[in-house]
Amino acid sequence: MQDCAAVLAESKDPWLRSDCVLAGKALDAYRAGHTEAAMALAVSLAEPLAVWVSTERTLPFDVEDKRQTWKEAVPLYGRSKYLWADRRWFSGQGIDANRLRLKERVLAGPVPSFFRVWQVGSSEPPKNLSRHVVAHQPTLEHFTRHNARLALMLVCSILREQQSYCAELRVMGDIATEEQHE
């Protein structure tokens, strides 16, 4: 959790401010022993972040034809963003996972599990961190300190990647941050 706090302290881009403040509040809740509150807030933050990390800009393709095939599959996203990450990262949609850097593999690793499809009443809720369980049928068994830590780590790792991405955009586009104006 110290590493998560350090990442949040380093993530100063104005575009990330709201997410970083809320992630800090989730971290504070976790440290105060409010596991359920910390996990619920972290999962809420993690959903759009996990979708972001699964978008084209982060995906290596082995040939241009496969990138085009991927783009044509985009309408699938509108029907089920929860299957998006699994189909993009691990289901052979033209992505050469061997070309991913270790950091990218670690970053994307928990995303498909986080979005694992599960519907209320279909089966026993998964024990591992699941966005669906948190949103649709929260249980005491699911809101563990372990799952709360996983949700916080997922949020903070993606925010760290977004900080790098924002910095690159600002350099490429010569976009000033608020700190540079001061």
Side-chain angles (χ1 to χ4, degrees), residues 23 28 33 41 44 47 64 71 76 80 83 88 106 108-109 120 133 157 179 182:
D28 291 344
L41 180 53
S44 181
E47 182 175 356
E64 186 57 34
K71 285 181 178 181
L76 291 172
S80 179
L83 295 175
R88 299 305 159 238
V106 169
V120 176
V133 174
S157 64
E179 290 176 350
E182 295 174 356

Side-chain angles (χ1 to χ4, degrees), residues 2-12 20 155-157 159-160:
Q2 289 175 338
D3 290 340
C4 287
V7 163
L8 294 176
E10 294 169 4
S11 299
K12 297 184 182 283
C20 288
V155 166
C156 292
S157 64
L159 283 172
R160 177 63 190 97

Side-chain angles (χ1 to χ4, degrees), residues 12-29:
K12 297 184 182 283
D13 195 278
W15 291 336
L16 306 178
R17 183 182 180 283
S18 182
D19 285 345
C20 288
V21 168
L22 290 171
K25 291 185 181 293
L27 187 56
D28 291 344

Side-chain angles (χ1 to χ4, degrees), residues 50-123:
V51 169
W52 178 85
V53 82
S54 299
T55 59
E56 180 184 5
R57 109 194 118 271
T58 61
L59 303 176
F61 293 87
D62 51 1
V63 295
E64 186 57 34
D65 287 349
K66 289 186 179 179
R67 178 181 304 273
Q68 187 59 39
T69 300
W70 182 89
K71 285 181 178 181
E72 290 168 5
V74 168
L76 291 172
Y77 174 77
R79 288 193 309 241
S80 179
K81 68 181 174 182
Y82 308 116
L83 295 175
W84 183 254
D86 182 52
R87 288 182 178 164
R88 299 305 159 238
W89 286 107
F90 299 105
S91 294
Q93 295 292 317
I95 298 160
D96 182 357
N98 293 322
R99 291 175 48 196
L100 294 173
R101 295 174 296 174
L102 177 61
K103 179 178 82 167
E104 292 165 329
R105 288 181 188 195
V106 169
L107 185 64
V111 172
S113 176
F114 177 76
F115 282 139
R116 179 181 298 119
V117 175
W118 176 80
Q119 295 179 349
V120 176
S122 64
S123 63

